[in-house]
Amino acid sequence: MQSTLNTAINYHQFNFQWKSQKPSARKFKASPKILPLSNSLRTSVNYGPEEGLDKVPGPPGSEPNSVLRLPVVIRQSGRVSRYIYEGNSLKLVSLDGGSGSFPLDFEDAFRKLVRVIKDFLIPKQVPENYMGYVKWKFLHRVFSSALQVLATQAMFRAIGIGYSRSLPSAAALNWVLKDGLGRLSRCIYTASLASAFDTNLKRVRFTTSVLFSLSIGVELLTPTFPQYFLLLATLANVAKQISLACYLATGSSVHRSFAIADNIGEVSAKAQIQTVCFDNFGLMLAALLNMLLKNNQRLLAGLPFFVYPIFSVFDLYGIYQGLQHVHLQTLTKDRLEIILNSWIDFGHVPSPAEVSKEEGIDFLWTKSKELWPIRIGCLNTNSEMPKSAMMAMQSLTSEDYYFVCMENSYREWIRIKPRGILLCLREGSGTADVMMGLLQACYIRKALIFSSMWETAVEDNDAADLVFKEWFKLIDDSKQSAKEDLSTLNDQMGSLGWAQKHILLSTEEQARYSFVDD
């Protein structure tokens, strides 16, 4: 390439007027000259970087050989154009259909329409999983919006049936009461579950989505029991307000997971556009069903009960699949535990997509039945503490910011097999301490699973000293392994996009102890 350019661009071709000689009294008359471009330069520059870009039509009446296609393509507002040099002028020619010609190409028009819609709905820089999320969001919003229309119609019909002989103000009062009680419940729910919006985002969001779907079913029952309109409408609105609170609280975290270029404002704005557009499709679907059955009032009254189970299934399935495409980069105790287990077993850090697949939604809370579960918090004073816990606290120094011990587990006043590992964090402990303590606990759990003697050590407070020596040796070995792995682990996690600045912990996991040196 370099030799070609050296051959093409030479001193004589540019016809410079000044030479290295003494100044002369003669005045030079400057005349504009067009710099000729040799064939070798045209060959080296005239190439097609993308498919179809080399087939650029020239202006009408121009000869094909007189057009020089430059390797600069402009994409703006859904249109693609390319610079050409023709004769002695530089022009920008559209690749969407030629310059000055408008052929009737339906395939090309369809591609343009798809491109315009995509630019309208989709942010510029988002990960690949975003399109899957939008696809399932479309399914969810269409059927959810249609159900809400049918539910509102049912409630209006219930007011007309139940209060046909009363004043309109009585119906309005009932409507205001059910909205007021719903908003009050929303405030109470949001205040009591604030930390769960970060630590269990997918689980809480899907759970409240199920609650929202059930609330629509309750609203559809109001025409059947008009005398209980206020009770049914209030219960339904409480559930809907709780679901709305969760949707608003978790929306920013979902949008942040897609904002790979820190364009969270654009992602949030496009999400609102998508919601409006998809909801309109749902309104159209509900209107179409009403138009088809407008001449049969009996079928129209029974329509909600027929479509409710079908639409609810599609709605919840769309939400479930959409959450599967949300890959959160923030660290919680559960996500960090998945990462550390993969690091110990396979020697590599999984990506956010891999962790998201393994994490799932856990709607039924089925992932807490593993052997030797790890808990972050403080010792449970309601249970009998193993002797190893007391010895772990006795061995603490001012340089320790956490300690790991065994614990007896309890659930709903029923004692479970006493298998558990507790990580207690000290006040002032940082992200590195949490990560190292959890990594050490994971190492300990792996060793405990392969040996049955530790069950006796937990159950029997008078276990042999040899057992406790082995326990403290395990503590020291696991802590040394955690120290050696921490730096490499942090580097790999950072390269995969994990947010390592903070680890999001629930209210119980944020409990800390203070060290007192008597």
Side-chain angles (χ1 to χ4, degrees):
M1 181 68 182
Q2 184 178 2
S3 61
T4 306
L5 289 174
N6 289 337
T7 305
I9 306 174
N10 53 67
Y11 180 83
H12 299 288
Q13 283 182 317
F14 282 95
N15 296 324
F16 291 116
Q17 297 294 333
W18 55 100
K19 300 180 181 179
S20 57
Q21 59 182 6
K22 294 181 179 180
S24 173
R26 185 175 60 180
K27 295 181 180 180
F28 291 94
K29 183 178 181 180
S31 59
K33 291 183 178 292
I34 300 175
L35 305 183
L37 298 175
S38 64
N39 291 331
S40 59
L41 178 59
R42 184 177 296 121
T43 302
S44 62
V45 175
N46 189 17
Y47 68 99
E50 297 182 22
E51 182 180 357
L53 297 185
D54 57 339
K55 300 177 182 179
V56 180
S62 64
E63 298 181 2
N65 294 333
S66 63
V67 178
L68 174 65
R69 296 183 293 271
L70 300 175
V72 179
V73 177
I74 304 298
R75 291 178 175 84
Q76 188 175 11
S77 301
R79 303 192 64 179
V80 182
S81 305
R82 183 173 180 175
Y83 282 105
I84 66 169
Y85 187 78
E86 191 269 330
N88 58 354
S89 62
L90 187 66
K91 298 181 179 181
L92 187 63
V93 178
S94 174
L95 302 182
D96 297 319
S99 175
S101 61
F102 301 91
L104 188 60
D105 189 347
F106 292 102
E107 183 179 354
D108 185 62
F110 178 75
R111 286 198 301 267
K112 290 181 182 178
L113 179 62
V114 171
R115 185 164 60 243
V116 170
I117 294 176
K118 184 177 179 181
D119 292 340
F120 182 70
L121 294 176
I122 307 300
K124 295 295 183 184
Q125 298 185 34
V126 286
E128 295 179 359
N129 56 299
Y130 185 77
M131 292 304 299
Y133 170 77
V134 173
K135 176 182 66 176
W136 293 110
K137 180 181 179 181
F138 172 78
L139 182 70
H140 147 58
R141 296 302 308 186
V142 167
F143 288 100
S144 177
S145 178
L147 278 176
Q148 291 181 63
V149 172
L150 298 177
T152 304
Q153 290 177 345
M155 294 178 69
F156 285 150
R157 192 160 53 249
I159 291 178
I161 294 174
Y163 300 97
S164 57
R165 297 183 180 180
S166 61
L167 295 175
S169 59
L173 178 61
N174 282 274
W175 199 277
V176 170
L177 281 175
K178 65 103 178 173
D179 282 350
L181 293 174
R183 293 174 182 175
L184 178 61
S185 302
R186 172 181 170 181
C187 294
I188 297 174
Y189 168 78
T190 305
S192 61
L193 208 65
S195 63
F197 293 131
D198 292 318
T199 55
N200 296 302
L201 185 149
K202 294 184 180 182
R203 178 193 299 171
V204 173
R205 187 157 182 172
F206 186 75
T207 303
T208 53
S209 298
V210 174
L211 195 63
F212 183 87
S213 182
L214 293 176
S215 70
I216 293 180
V218 173
E219 289 179 345
L220 293 175
L221 290 174
T222 52
T224 308
F225 305 99
Q227 65 274 22
Y228 301 112
F229 172 81
L230 180 59
L231 175 62
L232 295 177
T234 300
L235 290 176
N237 199 59
V238 166
K240 292 177 71 173
Q241 290 293 329
I242 289 175
S243 180
L244 177 61
C246 176
Y247 180 81
L248 295 176
T250 58
S252 58
S253 298
V254 173
H255 297 158
R256 190 182 300 111
S257 69
F258 294 121
I260 57 177
D262 291 334
N263 55 336
I264 187 171
E266 181 190 16
V267 174
S268 301
K270 295 291 185 180
Q272 296 180 39
I273 297 173
Q274 294 165 8
T275 300
V276 172
C277 294
F278 298 164
D279 284 355
N280 285 336
F281 280 105
L283 296 176
M284 293 170 58
L285 177 60
L288 179 61
L289 292 174
N290 280 276
M291 291 175 60
L292 293 176
L293 302 176
K294 65 179 180 179
N295 296 326
N296 193 328
Q297 293 298 321
R298 186 174 181 180
L299 289 178
L300 187 61
L303 174 65
F305 301 99
F306 175 74
V307 301
Y308 171 72
I310 301 174
F311 283 16
S312 295
V313 169
F314 281 110
D315 176 25
L316 294 176
Y317 186 71
I319 296 173
Y320 184 88
Q321 292 295 335
L323 290 174
Q324 299 283 15
H325 289 80
V326 177
H327 304 155
L328 300 170
Q329 295 88 22
T330 53
L331 290 175
T332 63
K333 183 260 180 182
D334 293 336
R335 289 185 205 123
L336 184 56
E337 192 173 344
I338 293 173
I339 294 172
L340 298 180
N341 287 333
S342 177
W343 171 262
I344 294 173
D345 294 336
F346 308 106
H348 83 282
V349 174
S351 64
E354 294 171 332
V355 172
S356 177
K357 184 178 180 180
E358 184 173 350
E359 178 186 28
I361 295 177
D362 194 19
F363 173 57
L364 300 176
W365 289 267
T366 58
K367 295 186 178 180
S368 59
K369 298 179 181 179
E370 56 197 357
L371 294 175
W372 296 99
I374 300 173
R375 184 175 69 89
I376 299 179
C378 290
L379 286 167
N380 186 4
T381 56
N382 295 326
S383 62
E384 184 180 358
M385 290 187 296
K387 189 176 180 180
S388 58
M390 181 196 65
M391 297 177 69
M393 288 187 285
Q394 282 184 332
S395 63
L396 286 175
T397 65
S398 59
E399 297 180 356
D400 296 324
Y401 280 87
Y402 70 89
F403 69 90
V404 181
C405 65
M406 296 182 185
E407 70 169 348
N408 296 324
S409 301
Y410 285 81
R411 183 180 298 174
E412 297 179 356
W413 305 102
I414 300 175
R415 183 171 178 176
I416 304 175
K417 209 170 186 180
R419 294 180 176 180
I421 300 175
L422 176 66
L423 172 61
C424 290
L425 300 172
R426 175 181 162 184
E427 289 184 358
S429 58
T431 302
D433 299 309
V434 178
M435 188 175 297
M436 183 173 173
L438 193 56
L439 179 58
Q440 181 182 355
C442 290
Y443 271 119
I444 293 173
R445 176 171 58 188
K446 185 174 182 181
L448 297 179
I449 290 175
F450 288 102
S451 177
S452 59
M453 72 178 218
W454 300 108
E455 297 181 16
T456 306
V458 182
E459 294 173 351
D460 186 7
N461 286 332
D462 297 325
D465 293 339
L466 179 61
V467 175
F468 289 108
K469 289 181 180 179
E470 290 295 328
W471 166 254
F472 283 104
K473 184 177 183 302
L474 176 60
I475 291 289
D476 294 337
D477 292 343
S478 60
K479 188 172 185 179
Q480 184 63 32
S481 298
K483 284 183 178 180
E484 294 174 355
D485 292 352
L486 193 60
S487 177
T488 307
L489 179 64
N490 282 326
D491 293 340
Q492 288 197 22
M493 290 177 64
S495 64
L496 291 172
W498 287 105
Q500 301 170 264
K501 189 175 182 180
H502 299 290
I503 298 177
L504 304 176
L505 301 176
S506 65
T507 303
E508 295 180 356
E509 293 169 348
Q510 292 175 9
R512 299 289 188 269
Y513 73 88
S514 299
F515 179 79
V516 180
D517 189 6
D518 293 334

